[in-house]
Amino acid sequence: MSNFDNSLKEKHRQWQISVESKLDKHPEAKSSYATDAGIPIARLYTPLDLTGDYEEQLGFPGEYPFTRGIQPTMYRGRLWTMRQYAGFGSAQETNERFKYLLSLGQTGLSVAFDLPTQIGYDSDHPFAMGEVGKVGVAIDSLEDMETLLDGIPLDKVSTSMTINAPAGILLAMYIAVAEKNGIEPSKLRGTIQNDILKEYIARGTYIFPPEPSMRLITDIFAYCSEHVPNWNTISISGYHIREAGSTAVQEVAFTLANAIAYVQAAIDAGLEVDQVAPRLSFFFNAHLNFFEEIAKFRSARRVWAKIMKERFQAKNPKSMMLRFHTQTAGCTLTAQQPDVNILRVAFQALSAVLGGTQSLHTNSKDEALALPSEEAVTIALRTQQVIGYEIGVTDTVDPLGGSYFIEKLTDDIEAKVWEYLNKIEEKGGAVKAISEGYQQKEIHSSAYQYQKAVESGEKVVIGVNKFQVEEAPPSGLLRVNPKVMDEQKAKLAALRRSRDNTKVESSLAQLRSAAKTGENLMPYILTAVKSYATIGEITGVLKDVFGEYQQRVSL
Amino acid sequence: MGKPIRVLVAKVGLDGHDRGAKVVAQALKDAGMEVIYTGLRQTPEQVVETALQEDVQVIGISTLSGAHLYLIPPVARLLKEKNASDILLLSGGIIPEEDHAALKEAGVAAIFGPGTSTEDIIAFINNNVS
């Protein structure tokens, strides 16, 4: 340690003593301070906290280890993609909402599907009762997808689809619609979530057991690397892990552990790491603890770069770049005094931008109550536009880099993420750990602690445990037209009559026999989709061959 | 001290949001109740069957997907058919105010929305289970 450091250390010590001697008279609000993940926060950070080598730990944006960002110019070159997740009711209604969002200046689409679509049930299945068109748009066949994307320039807009177990089916539909419009698959840009492991951990829209699910995912990797090279083949998601109650550290650790499992599965399937890794994308949550969130994004980038370089021996720098989408934290929205949610969302969105996100969804103020209304979604998008165009935070790259506090937190989070990654490794990897319920239990325990902290008042939630007011029940909430289910059923019945059923049956039979071999299933799914086979029919064939996942119920 | 109250915490329909259900289940356990959690994707029939098998006094149904009007009244109806309407039926999750009357009409004793303290749920159960 240099003389400078020694002298600073001494001065810092004296300053601490002097502050502490006055705490009796001027006490601090709390006896100890910590981030939401429990990382202790000091009273003050100084150059003494910067222990690592600058080039090794931070480097330059666009260069390994990408701590400061994945692009050399970041938002000076191009702002993040403003991408609001939307979808409800029928394909027709959602198509109208998409056009409305694009007219407001949104730069990418993000499709929300209803639960039957996500779990592979047609709208006329008994389990779909009451769920059709509710949390997203109902898609049963290529016909619905044609309506959903009508008039959208698929060669210009990038589209993200939150679809997991049946991701290959929806991607095939997207490709089929594009081809019908004369657009080559190689021109398509977008993302499918396609992240089954977090469905087992936190989100719940699984269909098949892990092994065939991983095969479907690597089939998609291989197919896209050849035919749809600009498509993000997976969005490895911490968002839902966080929403289920995890801490920021668990969010990053469990997500990266899943990512390792996907890369390993691809390698085991015979793919090259640099063939697959550049198309992997990530999805994180922007929660309330402002600095912890910024540090979280920065440390996630650094850990991933190290994993790809050191563990998987990737050569292409693009394989080491953690590109991510962010959504503000739905679970922090309150039903009480919903206008306050606008402010929560704004701070969360700012943390994502300061953390270097590539795209962003800002939640609407009314989402603790219902699907967002047009008015609410407009404010949410405007929030991003204010951050992007008015307040100047985009003018330099990684503006908080070098903050003693941010750098220390980035280091602390990284260390804790490695601890978890090692633990999961010892258990035999993410898939094994999930089958033991390990991640699920860790998340549940964090969620319960959070709830207890809110109930004790230790964690303040404005409008819920502090500054409450009497308020009238909310009005102007969006309600999904209950006719959607009947209309969807009628459309399905008509489709089953009008399509060439011989073609449907033969495409499904071919899919069935391919599923029993090791062949890539994507071409078969594409043929089935083009014959207007429904999601339920295609999923049904795969269920026959693969079986269904049985949830491990753990408390 | 009497026997502990037995509670079934259930997720109906296709909804995967189980954070609230599990937190409530844990809080009820910590309050001394015996809690059974069903896991995801239960049908109304399965919920009632489990409730009867497990001999519970309370059923708490969590739903956040908007299908509550389709999935909760059938539970109440099946309980009546099986002469088990003495089981206290509660619900929680995201249920708009304007649907509360219909659910109460169907037999739901209380609806706990976002921001509810688990202590309120515990107190409600203790006050309403004889």
Side-chain angles (χ1 to χ4, degrees):
Chain A
M1 197 170 262
S2 69
N3 285 338
F4 168 78
D5 282 347
N6 276 327
S7 127
L8 184 62
K9 213 171 175 184
E10 181 50 27
K11 283 181 186 155
H12 184 249
R13 199 180 63 86
Q14 284 170 9
W15 176 80
Q16 286 278 31
I17 291 169
S18 128
V19 172
E20 270 156 30
S21 69
K22 291 175 198 131
L23 284 182
D24 279 348
K25 246 190 185 163
H26 305 286
E28 295 174 329
K30 292 191 272 188
S31 59
S32 70
Y33 288 78
T35 67
D36 284 351
I39 296 170
I41 301 179
R43 181 173 294 122
L44 183 79
Y45 291 86
T46 69
L48 295 167
D49 294 294
L50 301 182
T51 49
D53 175 70
Y54 176 85
E55 282 182 50
E56 220 169 84
Q57 291 288 86
L58 300 170
F60 291 89
E63 292 176 17
Y64 186 86
F66 304 101
T67 314
R68 306 205 63 185
I70 60 158
Q71 301 293 349
T73 59
M74 285 303 289
Y75 307 131
R76 289 163 64 109
R78 193 173 74 83
L79 292 183
W80 62 93
T81 304
M82 300 182 186
R83 194 190 293 282
Q84 299 294 95
Y85 186 45
F88 59 91
S90 67
Q92 171 84 40
E93 281 173 285
T94 302
N95 176 266
E96 283 162 22
R97 176 64 73 93
F98 284 165
K99 287 176 177 162
Y100 175 73
L101 285 165
L102 290 170
S103 79
L104 293 179
Q106 170 165 296
T107 49
L109 296 178
S110 174
V111 190
F113 296 101
D114 70 0
L115 286 166
T117 306
Q118 293 189 52
I119 304 177
Y121 293 115
D122 288 335
S123 296
D124 55 3
H125 191 283
F127 287 175
M129 267 288 283
E131 311 269 19
V132 176
K134 282 284 161 61
V135 302
V137 58
I139 300 290
D140 288 314
S141 74
L142 180 58
E143 192 179 53
D144 294 325
M145 201 68 163
E146 288 162 358
T147 309
L148 180 75
L149 300 172
D150 181 55
I152 310 267
L154 300 185
D155 49 347
K156 296 193 179 74
V157 169
S158 74
T159 305
S160 169
M161 297 193 277
T162 299
I163 194 75
N164 293 279
I169 304 173
L170 274 299
L171 174 60
M173 287 182 182
Y174 195 87
I175 294 170
V177 173
E179 283 179 349
K180 277 199 160 181
N181 293 325
I183 298 162
E184 282 172 40
S186 62
K187 296 252 164 58
L188 297 176
R189 287 181 308 121
T191 307
I192 39 175
Q193 200 160 74
N194 201 21
D195 171 11
I196 199 65
L197 295 178
K198 66 91 177 52
E199 297 296 328
Y200 302 134
I201 295 177
R203 193 169 172 275
T205 69
Y206 43 76
I207 302 176
F208 315 111
E211 203 180 309
S213 295
M214 294 301 268
R215 174 215 174 159
L216 281 168
I217 291 167
T218 52
D219 280 359
I220 293 169
F221 287 175
Y223 184 84
C224 288
S225 80
E226 202 176 324
H227 303 282
V228 205
N230 295 316
W231 198 267
N232 297 315
T233 50
I234 192 166
S235 171
I236 307 162
S237 306
Y239 182 81
H240 319 88
I241 290 173
R242 191 70 181 278
E243 287 291 297
S246 86
T247 65
V249 168
Q250 291 166 339
E251 177 191 356
V252 173
F254 297 164
T255 305
L256 296 186
N258 289 348
I260 291 171
Y262 293 125
V263 174
Q264 193 57 54
I267 292 170
D268 294 346
L271 299 166
E272 292 289 330
V273 65
D274 284 320
Q275 180 189 355
V276 169
R279 295 322 306 173
L280 304 180
S281 63
F282 290 81
F283 175 20
F284 291 114
N285 194 299
H287 211 274
L288 284 169
N289 201 283
F290 190 70
F291 294 115
E292 181 171 54
E293 292 303 291
I294 297 166
K296 173 188 83 179
F297 299 123
R298 299 173 84 251
S299 61
R301 269 196 299 272
R302 185 156 74 204
V303 176
W304 184 242
K306 289 183 187 172
I307 290 169
M308 290 313 292
K309 188 176 186 176
E310 290 162 17
R311 175 179 180 143
F312 289 113
Q313 310 280 313
K315 299 282 178 291
N316 183 349
K318 285 207 165 92
S319 301
M320 307 171 204
M321 283 181 195
L322 181 142
R323 296 177 297 129
F324 68 101
H325 172 69
T326 307
Q327 180 169 340
T328 58
C331 62
T332 65
L333 301 176
T334 59
Q336 298 75 11
Q337 303 179 43
D339 284 350
V340 179
N341 291 327
I342 297 173
L343 308 172
R344 294 190 178 100
V345 167
F347 292 125
Q348 293 166 358
L350 182 58
S351 76
V353 169
L354 294 173
T357 195
Q358 276 59 63
S359 70
L360 182 59
H361 166 105
T362 32
N363 286 331
S364 297
K365 62 172 183 167
D366 48 3
E367 288 186 65
L369 300 156
L371 290 177
S373 65
E374 253 180 31
E375 183 222 341
V377 85
T378 305
I379 298 170
L381 180 59
R382 293 287 182 252
T383 305
Q384 295 198 39
Q385 292 164 336
V386 167
I387 296 172
Y389 295 102
E390 292 191 350
I391 63 172
V393 293
T394 56
D395 292 345
T396 188
V397 176
D398 189 28
L400 292 186
S403 148
Y404 309 126
F405 180 39
I406 285 288
E407 296 303 354
K408 178 70 166 70
L409 256 184
T410 305
D411 293 349
D412 287 351
I413 292 172
E414 179 180 354
K416 288 187 179 293
V417 166
W418 283 116
E419 274 174 35
Y420 264 120
L421 286 174
N422 293 336
K423 233 181 263 176
I424 290 170
E425 197 66 28
E426 280 164 26
K427 291 184 177 293
V431 181
K432 268 253 179 73
I434 291 167
S435 69
E436 282 175 29
Y438 171 69
Q439 292 94 322
Q440 297 92 310
K441 277 182 209 145
E442 289 285 304
I443 294 166
H444 170 61
S445 147
S446 300
Y448 192 52
Q449 278 172 27
Y450 191 88
Q451 178 68 21
K452 283 206 288 198
V454 170
E455 294 190 7
S456 71
E458 181 197 325
K459 180 110 214 129
V460 172
V461 184
I462 309 290
V464 172
N465 64 7
K466 212 176 176 102
F467 311 119
Q468 301 98 316
V469 293
E470 285 294 321
E471 41 189 336
S475 59
L477 298 179
L478 185 138
R479 274 194 92 88
V480 174
N481 181 355
K483 283 194 201 133
V484 170
M485 186 161 62
D486 292 332
E487 289 168 5
Q488 205 63 26
K489 279 186 185 173
K491 262 198 278 177
L492 260 175
L495 176 79
R496 293 195 215 271
R497 279 194 305 273
S498 66
R499 65 185 182 180
D500 182 345
N501 280 304
T502 329
K503 229 168 145 185
V504 172
E505 273 156 38
S506 83
S507 74
L508 290 175
Q510 282 166 10
L511 175 65
R512 185 185 299 272
S513 37
K516 291 176 184 159
T517 71
E519 262 186 286
N520 191 315
L521 294 181
M522 274 308 287
Y524 296 94
I525 292 173
L526 196 57
T527 308
V529 157
K530 284 179 180 169
S531 76
Y532 291 87
T534 65
I535 289 197
E537 289 162 347
I538 298 172
T539 310
V541 164
L542 296 176
K543 271 190 209 170
D544 284 348
V545 181
F546 295 154
E548 289 185 62
Y549 178 69
Q550 296 303 322
Q551 188 195 19
R552 184 196 162 90
V553 177
S554 51
L555 251 194
Chain B
M1 230 178 88
K3 279 204 320 199
I5 297 173
R6 286 174 69 78
V7 185
L8 180 70
V9 173
K11 285 292 302 178
V12 288
L14 304 179
D15 179 28
H17 295 92
D18 59 1
R19 174 179 180 167
K22 285 161 94 172
V23 163
V24 168
Q26 184 78 49
L28 301 182
K29 255 187 190 169
D30 286 359
M33 300 179 197
E34 289 177 355
V35 183
I36 300 111
Y37 169 56
T38 60
L40 301 178
R41 296 194 202 170
Q42 302 291 301
T43 61
E45 290 77 11
Q46 286 170 320
V47 171
V48 170
E49 198 182 310
T50 310
L52 296 177
Q53 258 172 23
E54 294 285 350
D55 196 22
V56 300
Q57 293 133 291
V58 184
I59 301 176
I61 298 182
S62 159
T63 141
L64 290 86
S65 70
H68 45 273
L69 290 179
Y70 288 83
L71 294 166
I72 299 177
V75 173
R77 184 173 45 77
L78 287 163
L79 287 174
K80 267 185 211 133
E81 283 174 22
K82 311 260 179 193
N83 292 320
S85 336
D86 56 327
I87 295 179
L88 186 69
L89 185 58
L90 309 176
S91 70
I94 298 190
I95 297 173
E97 194 88 17
E98 57 202 270
D99 295 343
H100 286 201
L103 290 181
K104 291 200 168 157
E105 178 76 14
V108 175
I111 297 157
F112 299 101
T116 301
S117 162
T118 55
E119 284 165 27
D120 292 346
I121 303 173
I122 293 163
F124 187 88
I125 292 176
N126 281 328
N127 293 333
N128 287 277
V129 172
S130 42

